[in-house]
Amino acid sequence: MMNNNWKLMKQTALFMMAAVTILFVSCGKEPRTADENASEGTRTLVARFSEADTRTAFVDGVYMWKKNDNLVVRSNNANGYSTFKYTGDDSAGEVEFENASEDVLVYGQNSFAIYPAKISGTGASAYPKEEDGSLKVVLKDTYTWFEGNVEAPMLAQVEAGEPLEFKHLGGVLKVTYKNVPPKAARIVVTAPVVDAAELADGKVTYKITSTMNKTIGWETAQGGFVADAPYVQAYSHTGTYKVTVNIANATAAQRTAEGGLVAYIPLPVGPMDDHSYPKLNVKMTFADNTTVPGTERNASNIVIERAHIKPMPAITLTRYSAEVVAGTDGSNGTVEGTGTAAKFNQVRGLCWLDNDNLLLTESNGNKVLRKFNKNTKAVSNAETLGGNAPWQGRMKDGLFYFIDKGNAQIRTWNPSTNTDAVATVTSSVGNSPMCVRFWGNDAFVASRNDSKIYKFAGGATGTKSVFFDFSTLDHGEDTNWPIALDFDGDGNVIVTVGSAKGSSTSAFKVYVISQEGIVIASIGAGTKAADYSKLVDGSPAKATFSANMNGLVFGPDGAIYMLDSYAIRRITKGSSGWSDATVTTILGGGSSYTTASGAMVQITSTPQDIIFDPQNSKVFYFFDWRYTLRKVTIE
């Protein structure tokens, strides 16, 4: 039999957020055999696909033979099998494969051909022979996707005077993803172990014997071969069986195509008596193997039969599109203008003056309060704030309250007057206060360097008290830094906490604290991400955050949106509340201004503050260190 090592050609699969609908289409015909012609020393075999729904490679819906396709056919040479090659152009229908040698082919029901086949090695040693003389086809665990094609192993019987007619050796799972993120790199299907008695040598295999003294019983009704030689189908694996399809080279157009990115994933016939898998898991990952948010799907009792394609329902992913709406990229200043003709300096805070006009506080340069109109994209100078480092704030009772970080004050701007428009209302609010927010009539201030959140009962001029002291949490030789805060729909305080030295085990988390000052949830592993590009998503105990947790907002969809170095993270409440929340990176995730290795959408710099549009729950804005105001639309 075979003494040559051959590998199945790489299949490819398209993905744009997919769900998997499992409908396999049967192939009707029995596999048939080959037609051999000898012409000037060249052997030719005519080959075709059995039916459209079982074919491997297709373009625009037509299944095609591809130039340089290989197949192996049983012969009586020293190796046991001969290689035939297709040298024509891409073609549908019947084509001729050629072999320049004069190998004598074996015909009959105990002979077969395999497609596709990639031959490696030379001479008799290239095809290692099984002890029982059988050919073992190993299903690969990694495939490379290319547009519109799938190459899954197929089998044809070989008889003189008939074309080779190929059918899938196993089954093919069709997965469709819509709105595939630009950095998504892989589609992964896993099947857990189901029966210890099925375990063998750690690979999923189809073992096909071809002995001269036995006959074949081909039973399509069973979705495979009979258990007797010469064709023996063997399903076996140890641990969890996993198939990976690489989609990193998919273009932007392919990722956003209306029909989605489609992947055809070869799977063995189901291991149970009804050819089903008790459970299949499908997901998409980034290059670093982290899961793309929203791409995981589980399916139970999926029937995988030989020569069938089983579709899963298409998975449509949330799509984020970002655009620069104002500011000159990479160039700072205090310049009025429209859209990208305007220039900003170091903006630290965003706040809506009304439904149409966004206020931006510049902490450096002229310390000017800027105004952006979302309809006209006009940027104007609303007021010179003065002070020392204007920071974040909010509107309350017709006044804009903001933090003067350098002077540790709460100040106000009155948009209705030009006389004494800016005033200091509260002094000595802490050491390096970062933001002021309101719940009801009470004001809350995150004061970074003294590790506290202060509460001002009745408003910014009210009675001051310590609402929560983060120095009471274990911090070692470090100092916990509360940075940004907001409130969820129940009035719980949400706050991002970093630290001065990066070593505190209670820092680099998002805390949810009740109005009574009790910690409801601590979200984060408590370790600073080693690299900005290696932020970990997932559960509260697993997720990691980085150093620049500069802003946070409770979104209209009930999720927390927070800034984290070169990324924007989304924290979604679980079935038990914030204690079992899930953290996902929705934008950015790179290690510099120009990279975003785990990005749903790439962002080019460290974001400084984030805020949702008051009239559109699908739109938010953020400012970044490229001196631009960016608008993000959730589609």
Side-chain angles (χ1 to χ4, degrees):
M1 298 291 288
M2 301 178 73
N3 257 345
N4 288 334
N5 200 4
W6 68 280
K7 299 180 180 178
L8 301 177
M9 288 189 69
K10 291 185 177 179
Q11 147 199 334
T12 62
L14 286 167
F15 277 75
M16 280 194 91
M17 216 162 181
V20 193
T21 324
I22 296 174
L23 283 171
F24 267 14
V25 183
S26 305
C27 309
K29 296 184 180 180
E30 298 288 327
R32 301 201 314 210
T33 52
D35 189 16
E36 177 190 2
N37 297 300
S39 175
E40 299 180 355
T42 299
R43 303 276 180 177
T44 63
L45 291 174
V46 177
R48 65 190 182 198
F49 295 115
S50 174
E51 291 189 14
D53 290 321
T54 73
R55 298 169 186 168
T56 47
F58 66 90
V59 177
D60 295 331
V62 178
Y63 288 74
M64 309 286 287
W65 297 104
K66 310 293 288 185
K67 187 172 183 177
N68 296 323
D69 276 346
N70 290 317
L71 55 86
V72 291
V73 182
R74 183 163 184 217
S75 70
N76 66 356
N77 68 15
N79 297 324
Y81 284 85
S82 297
T83 304
F84 283 71
K85 181 181 289 290
Y86 174 62
T87 58
D89 295 328
D90 295 354
S91 178
E94 294 187 353
V95 298
E96 291 186 349
F97 282 73
E98 296 182 345
N99 184 322
S101 70
E102 295 187 5
D103 297 341
V104 177
L105 300 186
V106 176
Y107 297 102
Q109 289 196 338
N110 55 2
S111 183
F112 55 87
I114 296 290
Y115 169 85
K118 185 175 182 180
I119 313 306
S120 47
T122 58
S125 63
Y127 283 105
K129 186 184 297 184
E130 292 291 304
E131 290 184 2
D132 61 1
S134 63
L135 165 66
K136 184 167 72 171
V137 180
V138 179
L139 292 183
K140 302 192 318 179
D141 57 10
T142 301
Y143 293 85
T144 300
W145 170 89
F146 57 97
E147 184 180 11
N149 293 269
V150 58
E151 289 179 303
M154 304 186 83
L155 184 76
Q157 286 184 327
V158 183
E159 291 184 2
E162 296 288 344
L164 297 171
E165 189 158 342
F166 286 92
K167 300 176 68 172
H168 281 310
L169 184 58
V172 175
L173 185 66
K174 177 184 178 182
V175 183
T176 305
Y177 277 96
K178 295 186 176 182
N179 298 336
V180 175
K183 296 293 181 177
R186 301 184 183 97
I187 296 169
V188 180
V189 175
T190 54
V193 156
V194 293
D195 186 349
E198 300 282 350
L199 304 182
D201 60 355
K203 293 180 181 292
V204 175
T205 66
Y206 283 94
K207 185 176 181 182
I208 305 162
T209 65
S210 180
T211 53
M212 294 296 292
N213 59 353
K214 294 182 180 179
T215 59
I216 169 68
W218 191 296
E219 299 187 7
T220 55
Q222 295 182 0
F225 310 109
V226 293
D228 300 326
Y231 288 138
V232 178
Q233 174 183 297
Y235 172 94
S236 61
H237 64 79
T238 56
T240 297
Y241 176 53
K242 180 170 73 172
V243 182
T244 300
V245 178
N246 294 320
I247 61 167
N249 292 331
T251 66
Q254 291 162 347
R255 292 168 184 267
T256 57
E258 184 177 352
L261 189 69
V262 180
Y264 294 87
I265 304 174
L267 289 174
V269 169
M272 310 305 288
D273 290 341
D274 61 354
H275 311 299
S276 69
Y277 284 82
K279 188 175 183 180
L280 283 177
N281 304 317
V282 179
K283 67 178 180 180
M284 188 177 289
T285 70
F286 295 115
D288 61 0
N289 294 319
T290 57
T291 300
V292 177
T295 63
E296 294 181 277
R297 295 292 187 276
N298 298 323
S300 300
N301 300 318
I302 297 185
V303 176
I304 303 291
E305 298 180 84
R306 187 185 59 80
H308 288 61
I309 294 176
K310 185 135 206 133
M312 290 184 75
I315 302 167
T316 302
L317 299 171
T318 301
R319 182 178 178 184
Y320 300 83
S321 58
E323 60 178 311
V324 175
V325 292
T328 304
D329 185 51
S331 178
N332 66 326
T334 304
V335 178
E336 295 181 308
T338 300
T340 56
K343 289 188 178 183
F344 295 102
N345 218 308
Q346 294 182 2
V347 172
R348 299 294 189 174
L350 304 176
C351 176
W352 289 100
L353 173 63
D354 51 41
N355 286 337
D356 298 322
N357 294 289
L358 182 66
L359 300 175
L360 303 92
T361 53
E362 287 189 355
S363 64
N364 282 12
N366 297 320
K367 299 177 177 58
V368 172
L369 182 65
R370 315 295 300 280
K371 184 166 66 174
F372 166 77
N373 185 286
K374 70 180 185 183
N375 301 314
T376 65
K377 298 185 179 180
V379 177
S380 59
N381 299 335
E383 189 71 53
T384 299
L385 297 176
N388 184 357
W391 225 257
Q392 297 183 6
R394 282 294 183 268
M395 293 294 298
K396 175 69 173 174
D397 299 329
L399 297 178
F400 174 53
Y401 287 80
F402 64 95
I403 289 293
D404 184 337
K405 181 171 176 283
N407 289 321
Q409 300 172 338
I410 300 176
R411 308 181 75 205
T412 60
W413 172 65
N414 188 341
S416 64
T417 178
N418 290 323
T419 304
D420 298 325
V422 179
T424 300
V425 295
T426 304
S427 299
S428 303
V429 293
N431 187 359
S432 292
M434 305 293 286
C435 65
V436 57
R437 299 287 188 267
F438 293 89
W439 181 258
N441 291 322
D442 299 331
F444 291 76
V445 173
S447 185
R448 189 188 69 182
N449 288 19
D450 55 3
S451 197
K452 293 179 177 64
I453 296 177
Y454 293 109
K455 177 180 178 180
F456 294 82
T461 59
T463 302
K464 174 185 173 184
S465 63
V466 175
F467 173 75
F468 195 88
D469 186 351
F470 286 94
S471 68
T472 61
L473 305 178
D474 184 19
H475 55 83
E477 300 298 319
D478 205 349
T479 302
N480 287 334
W481 278 359
I483 301 171
L485 68 84
D486 201 2
F487 305 90
D488 69 7
D490 298 320
N492 300 310
V493 177
I494 310 165
V495 57
T496 61
V497 178
S499 78
K501 299 178 182 179
S503 61
S504 171
T505 57
S506 56
F508 305 102
K509 294 186 176 187
V510 175
Y511 285 86
V512 182
I513 304 170
S514 72
Q515 284 286 325
E516 293 71 37
I518 298 172
V519 175
I520 295 173
S522 170
I523 303 171
T527 55
K528 178 182 175 183
D531 186 283
Y532 296 149
S533 65
K534 297 178 181 178
L535 301 172
V536 176
D537 289 344
S539 67
K542 177 183 176 183
T544 60
F545 300 98
S546 193
N548 299 315
M549 306 164 76
N550 298 320
L552 169 145
V553 65
F554 182 69
D557 59 352
I560 300 168
Y561 292 77
M562 61 157 293
L563 309 180
D564 189 7
S565 298
Y566 304 111
I568 295 179
R569 320 289 294 279
R570 183 174 185 264
I571 304 175
T572 308
K573 188 182 295 187
S575 58
S576 300
W578 295 117
S579 60
D580 65 341
T582 299
V583 179
T584 55
T585 302
I586 60 170
L587 285 86
S591 57
S592 71
Y593 289 168
T594 57
T595 64
S597 62
M600 300 287 282
V601 172
Q602 182 171 336
I603 58 178
T604 57
S605 183
T606 306
Q608 290 302 297
D609 199 8
I610 181 172
I611 195 163
F612 271 83
D613 189 308
Q615 294 178 303
N616 191 335
S617 62
K618 297 292 187 180
V619 170
F620 64 82
Y621 293 79
F622 70 93
F623 193 88
D624 70 10
W625 272 110
R626 297 290 298 177
Y627 308 108
T628 59
L629 178 66
R630 296 175 184 257
K631 174 185 175 182
V632 177
T633 302
I634 306 172
E635 301 176 15

